[in-house]
Amino acid sequence: MTVMTTGNTSRADANRRRILDVALAELLRDPDASMDQIARAAGVVRRTVYGHFPSREALISTLVDEAVAALADADADAREGVSDPAEAVARSVLAIWEIADRYRLLIALAQRTVTVQGIRERLAPLRAGKVRQLQQGLDKGVFSSPLPAQALAYVHEQMLFAVMEAVNDGLLTAQEAGRSAAVTVLTAAGVPASTATALVARVSGEERRKPGG
């Protein structure tokens, strides 16, 4: 039996991380990038890439898992300590968009490779938090919708995907997309457009004034 030493394990982990980072960059640059292209860009042989990921689909699936984890962390951090449901939604969408923008082409790829159902399943924990957030707003009268919170969460999710596709197609600049998405999501929850626009502008301004913002 072959025993892998700590040094070998660390090197393998470092190679895997580098392959993932390079693959993300290559796929964002060229959605049709092959495993050979990714291996060359990562400075490793093709066999090394396949040693970590048996197929291009497995590599993309891993990147999608990482993207979803990053989205969940951004959402939780943005909502922490915020009691107003509308402000919580605004902060969440703006924070998520900073991550989602980096992954928008990858998500478009995943819709073909992982399937939309696969993405929905991965987003289930994040969606559950959204449902609680929306239900709180509906209970307080901050939101108003003919849809129950569970259905409204699906609408919000699909709206964000649609905004990503609009950016991908050049219909909207990535710079404006986050604020536009936040206003659109709030108005879909029944918040007046003028109120939603002012709230998002205030939250965006606060984020820009933060150190490193």
Side-chain angles (χ1 to χ4, degrees):
M1 183 176 68
T2 301
V3 178
M4 183 172 282
T5 65
T6 302
N8 287 338
T9 302
S10 298
R11 188 161 57 250
D13 289 344
N15 275 341
R16 185 177 187 275
R17 182 70 262 160
R18 175 164 173 73
I19 289 166
L20 285 170
D21 291 343
V22 169
L24 176 60
E26 287 297 302
L27 288 167
L28 288 174
R29 184 183 61 79
D30 175 11
D32 295 318
S34 67
M35 294 287 266
D36 283 341
Q37 286 174 262
I38 291 167
R40 284 196 299 273
V44 298
V45 297
R46 188 168 178 259
R47 185 176 58 188
T48 300
V49 177
Y50 278 104
H52 291 285
F53 307 100
S55 66
R56 186 173 182 273
E57 289 72 23
L59 175 59
I60 291 174
S61 181
T62 301
L63 286 168
V64 172
D65 286 340
E66 290 194 346
V68 170
L71 292 173
D73 288 344
D75 171 64
D77 290 346
R79 291 187 292 107
E80 187 176 3
V82 180
S83 58
D84 175 59
E87 182 175 341
V89 167
R91 290 187 181 279
S92 172
V93 172
L94 289 169
I96 282 176
W97 190 262
E98 289 186 15
I99 305 297
D101 180 54
R102 299 203 324 249
Y103 287 96
R104 67 183 191 278
L105 287 177
L106 186 60
I107 289 172
L109 268 173
Q111 287 177 317
R112 298 197 301 267
T113 306
V114 184
T115 75
V116 173
Q117 185 58 36
I119 294 174
R120 280 195 182 137
E121 290 170 2
R122 285 167 165 84
L123 290 172
L126 182 60
R127 190 183 307 115
K130 279 280 172 282
V131 170
R132 290 191 294 272
Q133 192 178 70
L134 291 168
Q135 188 61 60
Q136 182 187 29
L138 290 168
D139 291 343
K140 290 184 173 182
V142 175
F143 300 145
S144 174
S145 174
L147 298 173
Q150 292 89 340
L152 191 55
Y154 270 104
V155 170
H156 283 190
E157 192 174 289
Q158 292 306 310
M159 290 174 86
L160 291 179
F161 279 130
V163 174
M164 287 181 208
E165 289 180 7
V167 174
N168 287 347
D169 291 342
L171 304 175
L172 188 67
T173 66
Q175 208 168 29
E176 291 297 320
R179 291 188 293 274
S180 299
V183 172
T184 302
V185 163
L186 286 170
T187 54
V191 177
S194 58
T195 303
T197 300
L199 174 58
V200 171
R202 176 174 65 80
V203 171
S204 296
E206 289 176 8
E207 291 301 313
R208 282 196 299 271
R209 285 193 293 272
K210 283 183 179 178

